[in-house]
């Protein structure tokens, strides 16, 4: 745990697994607008934001993008260096680590484990969390090896924006699942489902039968019920600021609010080959601010949908350097405060928003 806390993965390690409601997730996919990465409900535009990632997962969101090289000439040597030994499957080249092998790495620790063995176990545990909870693919049986070099120095793991990387993958998977031919979905579905039930608690009353086998995204008889409930109740009962109740603020550590100034930013979010645009400025009501008419949505162009196949030894940080620069540039335009008091935005936020050349309406006065 000390090593996990140092890497800022201590909170994620405490997450309990829960049954996923794939019928609810299917309903959310049908409400997703891929051009803006936002749900369109009767109450208005809303989405999973960096606030949700910071408060629910406790991951850093305001650091360097999660990127780098996604393939390696000697993956076995990399595993030996950072995990203590390579997988015993006889393969000389591999790009992913099986969860069963990773579990064995941190379950077989002795009471007299050395510091080096503890650090290897911590890396294996983080890799398991990354691939099993935070950034799982649709197959959900391996985690990509590309994340392992970022864990070499556990004291610098928190220097990466893991939170925005998780959100980038979730956005990409939601976009992919809008294709009628797609019947599965990856990404942090635990966060997506939790977000929906925090904002629309009336959905929890719908009878749910846990799946014995992961069914994928498909039609079920409860999807029309979810649609009807959202249509009837979301306009009046959608909770825009679901984390402001005392029972939540009392348990969320103050460190989760340190970088709250980028919750409503407008910038690309990155995870190696994936680049998605984060439109926090379109859902200001989720941050207890007044929502002006948003500008046109931003797009990432030809890099959207780019995969890793056939791009051996490509450094994605260099390939996407334009978007890396845009992500870093948002720091120079950040407000001193973005959190509102009561139901009104802070003066610092209004001043910052106005300085960006955007209209702002406060109490009916422009």
């Amino acid at each position: 745990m000390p090593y996990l806390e140092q890497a800022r993965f201590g909170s994620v390690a405490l997450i309990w697994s829960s049954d996923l409601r794939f019928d609810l997730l299917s309903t959310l996919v049908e409400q997703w607008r891929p051009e803006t990465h936002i749900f369109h409900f009767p109450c208005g535009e809303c989405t999973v934001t960096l606030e949700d990632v910071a408060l629910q997962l406790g991951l850093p969101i305001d650091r360097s993008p999660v990127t780098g090289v996604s393939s390696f000439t000697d993956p076995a040597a990399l595993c030996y260096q950072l995990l203590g030994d390579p997988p015993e499957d006889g393969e000389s080249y591999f790009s992913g680590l099986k969860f069963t092998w990773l579990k064995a790495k941190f379950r077989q620790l002795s009471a007299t484990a050395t510091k080096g063995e503890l650090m290897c176990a911590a890396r294996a545990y983080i890799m398991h969390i990354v691939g099993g909870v935070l950034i799982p693919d649709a197959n959900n049986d391996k985690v990509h090896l590309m994340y392992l070099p970022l864990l070499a120095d556990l004291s610098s793991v928190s220097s990466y924006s893991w939170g925005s990387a998780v959100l980038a993958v979730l956005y990409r998977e939601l976009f992919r699942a809008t294709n009628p031919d797609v019947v599965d979905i990856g990404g942090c579905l635990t966060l997506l489902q939790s977000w929906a039930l925090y904002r629309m608690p009336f959905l929890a009353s719908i009878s749910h039968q846990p799946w014995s086998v992961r069914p994928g995204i498909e039609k079920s008889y409860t999807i029309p019920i979810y649609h009807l409930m959202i249509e009837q109740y979301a306009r009046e009962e959608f909770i825009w600021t679901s984390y402001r109740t005392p029972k939540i603020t009392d348990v969320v550590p103050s460190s989760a609010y340190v970088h709250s100034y980028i919750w409503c930013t407008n910038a690309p979010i990155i995870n190696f080959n994936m680049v998605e645009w984060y439109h926090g400025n379109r859902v200001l009501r989720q941050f207890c601010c007044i929502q002006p008419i948003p500008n046109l949505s931003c797009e990432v162009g030809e890099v959207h949908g780019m995969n890793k196949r056939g791009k051996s030894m490509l450094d994605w940080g260099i390939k996407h350097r334009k978007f890396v620069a845009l992500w870093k540039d948002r720091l120079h335009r950040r407000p001193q405060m973005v959190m509102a008091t009561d139901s009104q935005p802070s003066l610092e936020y209004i001043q910052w928003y106005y300085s960006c050349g955007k209209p702002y309406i406060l109490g009916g006065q422009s």
Side-chain angles (χ1 to χ4, degrees):
M1 282 304 297
Y3 289 115
L4 294 177
E5 292 286 358
Q6 182 184 42
R8 290 284 302 276
F9 275 79
S11 296
V12 181
L14 302 177
I15 293 178
W16 287 43
S17 61
S18 60
D19 292 324
L20 291 175
R21 303 184 175 202
F22 283 95
D23 41 6
L24 171 57
L25 298 177
S26 296
T27 305
L28 295 175
V29 167
E30 293 180 2
Q31 303 290 331
W32 184 253
R33 296 298 178 266
E35 65 276 7
T36 56
H37 303 312
I38 283 174
F39 296 110
H40 282 202
F41 292 142
C43 56
E45 293 187 332
C46 51
T47 193
V48 186
T49 69
L50 292 172
E51 177 192 24
D52 301 293
V53 174
L55 299 190
Q56 291 207 36
L57 304 180
L59 292 172
I61 59 174
D62 184 34
R63 301 300 174 102
S64 300
V66 173
T67 188
V69 178
S70 58
S71 61
F72 309 93
T73 56
D74 194 348
L78 179 64
C79 291
Y80 182 82
Q81 176 188 0
L82 299 180
L83 297 176
D85 50 47
E88 298 177 355
D89 52 14
E91 294 185 29
S92 58
Y93 178 79
F94 51 92
S95 60
L97 298 173
K98 294 182 179 179
F99 293 145
T100 52
W101 183 81
L102 289 170
K103 284 182 180 179
K105 290 297 298 178
F106 55 79
R107 281 184 174 175
Q108 296 175 359
L109 278 176
S110 67
T112 58
T114 65
K115 179 180 178 180
E117 290 172 333
L118 288 172
M119 294 176 71
C120 287
R123 295 189 188 99
Y125 197 86
I126 293 174
M127 288 291 286
H128 191 278
I129 292 174
V130 168
V133 178
L134 300 177
I135 313 176
D137 60 23
N139 295 322
N140 201 32
D141 59 349
K142 291 183 179 181
V143 57
H144 203 285
L145 196 63
M146 64 188 180
Y147 299 107
L148 185 56
L150 305 183
L151 310 180
D153 182 0
L154 290 174
S155 65
S156 65
V157 172
S158 61
S159 67
Y160 295 99
S161 180
W162 293 97
S164 65
V166 169
L167 206 55
V169 176
L170 180 60
Y171 284 0
R172 175 65 63 87
E173 286 296 310
L174 283 166
F175 168 81
R176 191 177 65 86
T178 57
N179 185 334
D181 297 329
V182 172
V183 295
D184 56 16
I185 186 173
C188 193
L189 301 182
T190 301
L191 174 64
L192 176 60
Q193 177 170 290
S194 179
W195 175 88
L197 295 177
Y198 264 107
R199 307 283 176 174
M200 298 176 286
F202 53 84
L203 296 179
S205 63
I206 298 176
S207 178
H208 166 64
Q209 181 65 36
W211 298 91
S212 58
V213 179
R214 181 186 178 100
I217 295 296
E218 56 186 15
K219 295 291 184 181
S220 76
Y221 71 93
T222 53
I223 289 181
I225 301 177
Y226 278 113
H227 275 299
L228 181 62
M229 292 286 285
I230 292 174
E231 185 67 29
Q232 288 184 341
Y233 298 108
R235 190 180 304 276
E236 301 295 334
E237 298 185 25
F238 187 89
I239 302 177
W240 291 99
T241 55
S242 57
Y243 305 123
R244 292 173 65 87
T245 61
K247 67 178 181 180
I248 294 179
T249 57
D250 289 346
V251 298
V252 175
S254 58
S255 59
Y257 298 96
V258 171
H259 298 125
S260 60
Y261 51 77
I262 68 166
W263 291 351
C264 57
T265 192
N266 182 30
I269 49 179
I270 302 166
N271 186 328
F272 284 88
N273 59 296
M274 296 186 185
V275 180
E276 302 292 337
W277 206 277
Y278 175 78
H279 292 101
N281 62 327
R282 296 182 69 98
V283 291
L284 293 178
R285 282 186 287 179
Q286 291 183 217
F287 312 121
C288 206
C289 294
I290 298 173
Q291 178 66 61
I293 298 175
N295 294 334
L296 295 176
S297 60
C298 300
E299 299 180 358
V300 298
E302 62 181 9
V303 305
H304 194 267
M306 187 172 291
N307 57 50
K308 299 183 290 293
R309 290 191 296 270
K311 301 175 179 65
S312 177
M313 302 308 294
L314 176 65
D315 189 324
W316 292 102
I318 297 176
K319 175 67 175 178
H320 297 324
R321 56 184 175 271
K322 177 179 72 173
F323 299 104
V324 171
L326 287 172
W327 168 255
K328 293 180 178 179
D329 183 58
R330 91 224 177 280
L331 297 177
H332 302 296
R333 304 190 308 273
R334 69 189 185 193
Q336 295 178 2
M337 292 176 57
V338 300
M339 295 303 296
T341 57
D342 298 327
S343 61
Q344 296 297 341
S346 66
L347 178 60
E348 290 86 353
Y349 182 78
I350 297 174
Q351 291 171 339
W352 169 79
Y353 205 80
Y354 184 79
S355 70
C356 294
K358 299 176 174 61
Y360 207 97
I361 306 298
L362 178 60
Q365 300 295 323
S366 62

